Amino acid sequence: MLSLRMDSVLFDRLSQHAAKRGMSVQDYVVRTLIRDDFDERFKTAVDETERFYGPSA
C-alpha cells in the first residue's frame, strides 16, 4: 500500500490523465512509478553494457 499526499491541482491533472487511459488515479500513479523504475533500470543496464564493451560507434 502506498499513501500519497498531493494538492488538488496535481490530483486534478492526474485524474485527467488517468481518465484518458480509462484508469483510476491509483492505477495510473502505480503504472507511472513502475514505468519510471523500469526506465531507470534499463538505463543503468545500458550504461553498464557500454562500460563493459565500450560505447557503440
Side-chain angles (χ1 to χ4, degrees), residues 20-49:
K20 287 179 186 176
R21 290 161 180 78
M23 304 169 76
S24 69
V25 173
Q26 179 176 333
D27 288 342
Y28 179 78
V29 170
V30 168
R31 285 188 182 251
T32 301
L33 291 171
I34 290 169
R35 184 180 64 236
D36 190 53
D37 180 60
F38 173 80
D39 290 347
E40 184 62 33
R41 287 183 290 139
F42 183 76
K43 181 186 177 312
T44 299
V46 169
D47 291 346
E48 289 295 316
T49 301

